[in-house]
C-alpha cells in the first residue's frame, strides 16, 4: 500500500504541474483528440497535454513500456484515473487506436507490427478506423464479402465497408477481408491493416437521423494491403475480430475510467436532475412531478449500480486485460441506460426538446435533440443489443444454440 | 329489430320469474357449478337454477336446439347476457363441456356423437376434463407419447397426462393419443373420448404454489377408448386439437361470455382496494407513483375490453374468431397478472396472508389468486407460444 | 358505440389513402424540410384537400361542410398519419372548427364556418405557455380596455402559428395561473398590432411558432364563449384535438409497424430472414397486441365525439395516453429492428420516431393523461 500511496502523491504532483488549465474543463466535442493530422483540436493546449502525457506513456497507462505505454499495474492505473478525475482532467487521447486496434495488436500482433504501429498510437501520430460491417453483413458480421486476393507480397482488396466511423479523418484502417471464399464463412476471413491514403480508396459520408454524418461508406477498388500488415494468421482473422469487439465493447480503459471516477454515470444524472428541477420545479424539496421523479430516480439508481459493476469488473480483472464475453453486459446495458437518460431529458424539457434549428430554442436544447437521436445508435452500432444478448445467453449463461 | 326487442322483454320476464334470489349476486369460486356426478349442491337454489336454464337450453345458449342448446342468434345471446348482468344472475354452470369439447363436437363430431354427448353437457349430467399435456410435452404439445393401440372395436390406451384440470371430479376426458408412432409427429395423433369410470384410469392431484390442487396427473393403464368415441379421422386428431385450443384460449380470456366479463370481476376494483389500503390525499390516491401504475392498468383493461367488443363486432357471424384468440389469451393473462401485482403493492404485507384470523377473507383470497394468476400465462399454451402463433399466423413472420 | 366503420367512412378512408399515397408521400415532407420551405406545407396540396371537402369534414352541411363527423375526420387523419402529411388540418379543420362550433355565437359561426370549410381561413390555437401541456396554467392576461380587451403574454408551440390568419388566444380575464375559472378565448387576426410571431423549426419537420402578445386590442365580439368561462370551450376543443391526434398517431404507428414487418421478412442475416428470430418475433407480436388495443380506443373515442357522449373526456385521455405509449414503442422498435439503415437520414423510418415524440408532447403526454383519467374516476 505504501508504494501505491507514493505513486498517488507523485502522480498528483505531476498532474498539478503538467495539466494545462483548459484541459481541466469538461470536454467539448470539437476538442476531442483521436490522433492523426486530418482533424485537429482548435485548442493548442490539447496538444501540450497530449505530448506531456504521451511522454510518460500515460495516454495508454496499462500498455507495456517497450511500446511506449505507461507500464502501470491495474492498481496504479486506477489511481491515475482517480487523480485525473480529482482535477477533472480530460482524457488526452481517444480513438480506435487506443481502444481497439492497440489492445488487439498487443495480443495478436507480431513483434515487428507492435514496434511499428503502437508507438504511433501512443503519441497520437496516427488515427485509426474500423472496416468491419458491410451493407449485407451487419449483425451477421462473418457474412462479409469484401475480398482480398493473394498477390505475393500483398493482397488486392475489392469491396465496400459501411459504418466506418471517422473514415474521413483516419490515417489507417483495420479491416476484415475474405481471403478464402470456399471455406465456411468464419474460416476464410483475414484481419489486415492498410493506409487510408492507398490508391483505390474512396469515402462517402452517411447522413444520420440526427443530421450529423459520423459514419461513412468506404469503397475499395484494387487497394493494395501489404502482407507484413496481416495480423495473426491468414484465414484466422475471425478470432482476432471477435477479441477486438470485446475491447470495443469494454476496453479496460473505458471500464476503469467509468468505475474509477465514479462520476461518468452520476455526472449525467446530476445534470438530468438539474434539468428537471429547472423545467419541472420543486415542491417541498421534491420534483413537482412525482411520476417523472420516480423514473429519474430509478434511472439514477440503475446508473449507479451499473458504474459499480464496471468498477467491480476492473478490480476482478487481470492486470491490463479486457474481460471476455461479459463485456456484452456493458455494451447492452450501457446503451439502454444512455437512451433512457435522454428519453427522460425529453420528458423533463417537454416541447423544448424538439428544436431542430433556428430561433425559439437554446443551443443546449438544439444540441439535446441531436444527441437524443444519435443515442438510438447505441443499441445498434458495434453489435446490436440483440447480438449482445445472444452472446450473453450463449457464452456467459451457457444456453444452447 | 322488433323481434329482438320482444326477445329482450320475454327474457327479462322469464329471468325475473325463474332466477332464484340466492343465484343473484356474485358467488365464490367454491360455489361455481360444473355439473357431473361429483357435483354437490349446498345451495339448493343452484340446482333449481341449473335445471330451469338447462330446460330452455340457456346453459349453452348458442348451441342448436336439436342437441339441447338454446338455438339463440348472437344478438339474442348478447341480450340474454345483458339481462343476466342486469339482475346480477350467476352463470348456472360452466366447465370444459361448454367451453371446449362441446364447441369442438359441434365442429367435428358425428351426428351420433353430438346426440350422445351434447345434451348431457347442457343439462349438467356429465363433467369433462382435458387430457392434452404430458410430462415431456408441454409447449411442444404434438410430441405427446401416450399411445393407443387399435384393438378392433376399441383402442387400448397407455401413458400419462399432466395438468388435467379438474380430473378428480370429471366423468369423461377428451384426450390426445398417438395412434401411429412412425408418422411425423403431427400426423400420428388421434382425438378420443374416454369414460373416466374404469379401472384403467387413475388420477393423482398436484399441489400448486397457491396451496390448491386444481390440476392432476392422470394415468392410463390399459384404459379402453371405444372406436365410436374417436372424434375426427384416425391420425387427424391434431386438426381437432388445434381448433379446441382456440375455443379454450378465447374462454380463458373471457371471450366466451362475449367479452363482457374479465376473469377477476369478482374482485373489488384496484382503485377501491388502493383507497382502503393507501388512503386518499387531496382527492387522489396518496401514493402518486402507485396511482399512476394503477390508472395505467385500469386504462389498459378498458382498452382490452373495448378490443374484445371490437372483435365481437367484426366477427358478426358469431363463431370463434381465429386471429384474435392468441392475442386475447396472451394479453388477458398478462394484464391480469399485472393487476394482481399492483394489488399486492397496494395492500402491502396484508397481501401475503396464508391462513388464520389476522387476515380478512379478501386478503387471503388475494394471496391465492395472485399465485394462481401466474399459471394463466402458462396453462393452455404459454404466453411465449401465443406470441409465436401471432408472429406466424397473423404477422406472417417466417419460421 | 360502433367499433366498426360504416360504408361511407370506409369510402372516405380509401379516398384519403389514395390521395395521401399519391400526393403527399413522405418524400414531400422531406422536400419541405430540405428546401427550408417557409410555409412548412404545400398550399397547393392544401387546396386539393379543401376541394375534397376535408377542411369541412366536421362542419355541418348547413355551414358548407361535409358533416361527416369525427369518425370521418379520424379516418382522414389516420391516412395523413401514415404519410406524415404536413397540412393545416389539425390547426384549422380540427382545433379551429371545434373552437368555433362549440364557442362561437350564431353570427360568428355564419361568418367563419363557411370560410373554414372553403379553405379561405387558417387558424391556430395559442394556448401553451410552458414546454409542458398545462391548459389552465395561463398567465397571458386579458384586461378590459374600452369596449374590448387588451391581451398581453407569450405563447409557445402554437401549431401553424406562423401561417394562421386568425388566432384563438387563451387568456386570463380573472383569477391566477392554474385556475380553471377566469379563462377567456379570443379570436384575433394574426396581423393585429402587437402580435409578433417566431416560427420554431422542429425535429418532426412540422410547423409551430412562438407568439408574443403585447397590448393586442381585441373587441368584445372577439370573445369565443362567455368571459371567464373559456375553459368550457377549451376542454372540448382539447379533447377533440387529443382524439383526432390519436387517430393521426394510429396511422403513423401502423405504417411504421408494417414497414418494419416487411423488413423483418426480407432482410437476411446468418442466411435467414431476421424475422425468423424469436427475439424479434415476440417483440413484433407484442406490438401487434398494443396496436390492436390502440385501434379500439381510437374508434371508441371518435364515436364518442360524434355522439357527444359524457365519456369523451375519459376516452380522450385513454386514447392519447395509449397512443403516445404505443407510437413511442413502435417507432423506437422500428429503428432498432431496421438496424444501422434505420439510423440514416436517407431511410424514412426515422421520421416516425421524430413525429411520435412531438405528438407525445402535444395536448398532454401519457402521464398527464393517466393523471387526468384518475381524476375523472375520482381517485
Amino acid at each position: 500500500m505504501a508504494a501505491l500511496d507514493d505513486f498517488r502523491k507523485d502522480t498528483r504532483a505531476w498532474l498539478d504541474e503538467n495539466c494545462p488549465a483548459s484541459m481541466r474543463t469538461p470536454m467539448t466535442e470539437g476538442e476531442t483528440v483521436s490522433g492523426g493530422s486530418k482533424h485537429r483540436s482548435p485548442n493548442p493546449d490539447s496538444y501540450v497535454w497530449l505530448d506531456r502525457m504521451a511522454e510518460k506513456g500515460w495516454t495508454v497507462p496499462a500498455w507495456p513500456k517497450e511500446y511506449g505505454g505507461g507500464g502501470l499495474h491495474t492498481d496504479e492505473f486506477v489511481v491515475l484515473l482517480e487523480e485525473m478525475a480529482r482535477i477533472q482532467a480530460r482524457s488526452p487521447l481517444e480513438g480506435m487506436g487506443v481502444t481497439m486496434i492497440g489492445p488487439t495488436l498487443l495480443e495478436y500482433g507480431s513483434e515487428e507490427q507492435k514496434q511499428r504501429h503502437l508507438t504511433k498510437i501512443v503519441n497520437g501520430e496516427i488515427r485509426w478506423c474500423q472496416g468491419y460491417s458491410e451493407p449485407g453483413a451487419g449483425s451477421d458480421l462473418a457474412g462479409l464479402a469484401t475480398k482480398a486476393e493473394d498477390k505475393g507480397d500483398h493482397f488486392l482488396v475489392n469491396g465496400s465497408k459501411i459504418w466506418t466511423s471517422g473514415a474521413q479523418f483516419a490515417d489507417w484502417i483495420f479491416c476484415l477481408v475474405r481471403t478464402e471464399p470456399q471455406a465456411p464463412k468464419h474460416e476464410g476471413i483475414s484481419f489486415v491493416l492498410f493506409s487510408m491514403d492507398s490508391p483505390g480508396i474512396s469515402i462517402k459520408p452517411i447522413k444520420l437521423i440526427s443530421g450529423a454524418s459520423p459514419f461513412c461508406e468506404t469503397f475499395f477498388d484494387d487497394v493494395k494491403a501489404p502482407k507484413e500488415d496481416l495480423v495473426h494468421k491468414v484465414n484466422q482473422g475471425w478470432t482476432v475480430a471477435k477479441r477486438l469487439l470485446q475491447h470495443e465493447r469494454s476496453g479496460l480503459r473505458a471500464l476503469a475510467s467509468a468505475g474509477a471516477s465514479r462520476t461518468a454515470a452520476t455526472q449525467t444524472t446530476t445534470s438530468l436532475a438539474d434539468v428537471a428541477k429547472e423545467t419541472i420545479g420543486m415542491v417541498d424539496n421534491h420534483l413537482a412531478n412525482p411520476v417523472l421523479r420516480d423514473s429519474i430516480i430509478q434511472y439514477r439508481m440503475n446508473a449507479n449500480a451499473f458504474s459499480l459493476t464496471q468498477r467491480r469488473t476492473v478490480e476482478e480483472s487481470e492486470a491490463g486485460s479486457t474481460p471476455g464475453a461479459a463485456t456484452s453486459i456493458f455494451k447492452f446495458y450501457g446503451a439502454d441506460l444512455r437512451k433512457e437518460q435522454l428519453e427522460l431529458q425529453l420528458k423533463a424539457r417537454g416541447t423544448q426538446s424538439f428544436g431542430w434549428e433556428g430561433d425559439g430554442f437554446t443551443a443546449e436544447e438544439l444540441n439535446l435533440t441531436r444527441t437524443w437521436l444519435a443515442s438510438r445508435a447505441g443499441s445498434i452500432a458495434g453489435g446490436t443489443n440483440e447480438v449482445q444478448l445472444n452472446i450473453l445467453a450463449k457464452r456467459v449463461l451457457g444456453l444452447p444454440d | 329489430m322488433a323481434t329482438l326487442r320482444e326477445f329482450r322483454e320475454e327474457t327479462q320476464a322469464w329471468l325475473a320469474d325463474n332466477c332464484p334470489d340466492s343465484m343473484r349476486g356474485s358467488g365464490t369460486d367454491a360455489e361455481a357449478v360444473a355439473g357431473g356426478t361429483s357435483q354437490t349442491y349446498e345451495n339448493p337454489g343452484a340446482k333449481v337454477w341449473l335445471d330451469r336454464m338447462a330446460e330452455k337450453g340457456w346453459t349453452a345458449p348458442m348451441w342448436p336446439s336439436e342437441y339441447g342448446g338454446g338455438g339463440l342468434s348472437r344478438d339474442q345471446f348478447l341480450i340474454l347476457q345483458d339481462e343476466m348482468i342486469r339482475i346480477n344472475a350467476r352463470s348456472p354452470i360452466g366447465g370444459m363441456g361448454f367451453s371446449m369439447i362441446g364447441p369442438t363436437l359441434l365442429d367435428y363430431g358425428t351426428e351420433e356423437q353430438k346426440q350422445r354427448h351434447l345434451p348431457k353437457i347442457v343439462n349438467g349430467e356429465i363433467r369433462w376434463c382435458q387430457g392434452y399435456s404430458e410430462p415431456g410435452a408441454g409447449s411442444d404439445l404434438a410430441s405427446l407419447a401416450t399411445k393407443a393401440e387399435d384393438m378392433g372395436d376399441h383402442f387400448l390406451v397407455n401413458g400419462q397426462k399432466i395438468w388435467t384440470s379438474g380430473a378428480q371430479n370429471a366423468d369423461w376426458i377428451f384426450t390426445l393419443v398417438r395412434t401411429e408412432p412412425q408418422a411425423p409427429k403431427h400426423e400420428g395423433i388421434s382425438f378420443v373420448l374416454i369414460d373416466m369410470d374404469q379401472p384403467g384410469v387413475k388420477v393423482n392431484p398436484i399441489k400448486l404454489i397457491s396451496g390448491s390442487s386444481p390440476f392432476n396427473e392422470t394415468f392410463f393403464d390399459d384404459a379402453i377408448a371405444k372406436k365410436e368415441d374417436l372424434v375426427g379421422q384416425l391420425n387427424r386428431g391434431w386438426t381437432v386439437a388445434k381448433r379446441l385450443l382456440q375455443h379454450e384460449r378465447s374462454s380463458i380470456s373471457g371471450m366466451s361470455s362475449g367479452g363482457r366479463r374479465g376473469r377477476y370481476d369478482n374482485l373489488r376494483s384496484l382503485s377501491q382496494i388502493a383507497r382502503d389500503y393507501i388512503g386518499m390525499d387531496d382527492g387522489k390516491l396518496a401514493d402518486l407513483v402507485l396511482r399512476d401504475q394503477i390508472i395505467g392498468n385500469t386504462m389498459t383493461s378498458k382498452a382490452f375490453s373495448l378490443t374484445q367488443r371490437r372483435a365481437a363486432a367484426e366477427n358478426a357471424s358469431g363463431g370463434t374468431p381465429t386471429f384474435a384468440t392468441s392475442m386475447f389469451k396472451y394479453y388477458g393473462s398478462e394484464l391480469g397478472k399485472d393487476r394482481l401485482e399492483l394489488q399486492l403493492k397496494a395492500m402491502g404485507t396484508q397481501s401475503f396472508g396464508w391462513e388464520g384470523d389476522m387476515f380478512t377473507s379478501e386478503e387471503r383470497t388475494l394471496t391465492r389468486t395472485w399465485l394462481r394468476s401466474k399459471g394463466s400465462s402458462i396453462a393452455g399454451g404459454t404466453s411465449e407460444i401465443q406470441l409465436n402463433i401471432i408472429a406466424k399466423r397473423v404477422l406472417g413472420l417466417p419460421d | 358505440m360502433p367499433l366498426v366503420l360504416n360504408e361511407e367512412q370506409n369510402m372516405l378512408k380509401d379516398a384519403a389513402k389514395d390521395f395521401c399515397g399519391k400526393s403527399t408521400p413522405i418524400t414531400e415532407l422531406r422536400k419541405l424540410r430540405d428546401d427550408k420551405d417557409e410555409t412548412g406545407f404545400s398550399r397547393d396540396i392544401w387546396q386539393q384537400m379543401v376541394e375534397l371537402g376535408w377542411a369541412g369534414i366536421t362542419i355541418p352541411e348547413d355551414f358548407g361542410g361535409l358533416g361527416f363527423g369525427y369518425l370521418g375526420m379520424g379516418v382522414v387523419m389516420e391516412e395523413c398519419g401514415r404519410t406524415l402529411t404536413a397540412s393545416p388540418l389539425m390547426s384549422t379543420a380540427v382545433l379551429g372548427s371545434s373552437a368555433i362550433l362549440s364557442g362561437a355565437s350564431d353570427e360568428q359561426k355564419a361568418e367563419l364556418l363557411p370560410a373554414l370549410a372553403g379553405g379561405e381561413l387558417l387558424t391556430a390555437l395559442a394556448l401553451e405557455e410552458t414546454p409542458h401541456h398545462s391548459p389552465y396554467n395561463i398567465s397571458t392576461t386579458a384586461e378590459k380596455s374600452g369596449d374590448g380587451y387588451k391581451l398581453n403574454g407569450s405563447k409557445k408551440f402554437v401549431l401553424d402559428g406562423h401561417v394562421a390568419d386568425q388566432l384563438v388566444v387563451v387568456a386570463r380575464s380573472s383569477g391566477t395561473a392554474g385556475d380553471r375559472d377566469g379563462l377567456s378565448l379570443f379570436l384575433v387576426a394574426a396581423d393585429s398590432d402587437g402580435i409578433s410571431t417566431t416560427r420554431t423549426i422542429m425535429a418532426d419537420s412540422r410547423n409551430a411558432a412562438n407568439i408574443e402578445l403585447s397590448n393586442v386590442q381585441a373587441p368584445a365580439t372577439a370573445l369565443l364563449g362567455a368571459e371567464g368561462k373559456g375553459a368550457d370551450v377549451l376542454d372540448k376543443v382539447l379533447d377533440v384535438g387529443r382524439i383526432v391526434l390519436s387517430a393521426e398517431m394510429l396511422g403513423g404507428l401502423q405504417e411504421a409497424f408494417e414497414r418494419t414487418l416487411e423488413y423483418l421478412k426480407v432482410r437476411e442475416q446468418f442466411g435467414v430472414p431476421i424475422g425468423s428470430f424469436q427475439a424479434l418475433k415476440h417483440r413484433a407480436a407484442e406490438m401487434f397486441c398494443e396496436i390492436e388495443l390502440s385501434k379500439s380506443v381510437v374508434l371508441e373515442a371518435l364515436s364518442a365525439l360524434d355522439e357527444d357522449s359524457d365519456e369523451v373526456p375519459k376516452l380522450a385521455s385513454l386514447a392519447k395516453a395509449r397512443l403516445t405509449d404505443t407510437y413511442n414503442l413502435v417507432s423506437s422498435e422500428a429503428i432498432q429492428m431496421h438496424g444501422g439503415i434505420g439510423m440514416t437520414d436517407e431511410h424514412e423510418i426515422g421520421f416516425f420516431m421524430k413525429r411520435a415524440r412531438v405528438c407525445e408532447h402535444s395536448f398532454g403526454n401519457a402521464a398527464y393523461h393517466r393523471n387526468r383519467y384518475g381524476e375523472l374516476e375520482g381517485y
Side-chain angles (χ1 to χ4, degrees), chain A residues 237-283:
Chain A
W238 187 244
T239 313
V240 186
K242 276 193 301 184
R243 184 63 181 150
L244 182 135
L245 284 177
Q246 292 174 350
H247 292 304
E248 173 182 14
R249 277 164 206 154
S250 292
L252 180 73
R253 192 187 147 79
L255 285 180
S257 346
S261 68
R262 274 170 255 174
T263 52
T266 31
Q267 252 169 14
T268 50
T269 43
T270 310
S271 74
L272 174 57
D274 284 345
V275 165
K277 278 180 200 174
E278 196 182 312
T279 55
I280 308 283
M282 299 285 281
V283 174

Side-chain angles (χ1 to χ4, degrees), chain C residues 130-196:
Chain C
T130 72
H132 299 278
H133 180 63
S134 187
Y136 310 144
N137 192 14
I138 298 300
S139 303
T140 295
T141 54
E143 281 174 78
K144 286 269 192 202
S145 161
D147 291 342
Y149 299 84
K150 199 168 63 183
L151 309 181
N152 278 290
S154 53
K155 296 292 185 181
K156 274 183 183 305
F157 193 50
V158 179
L159 299 183
D160 291 338
H162 64 307
V163 287
D165 305 303
Q166 296 275 334
L167 301 175
V168 177
V169 177
V170 183
R172 182 164 292 290
S173 44
S174 64
T176 52
D179 292 351
R180 187 176 183 279
D181 280 341
L183 295 179
S184 300
L185 269 54
F186 297 91
L187 191 69
V188 297
D191 58 2
S192 306
D193 286 344
I195 294 182
S196 66

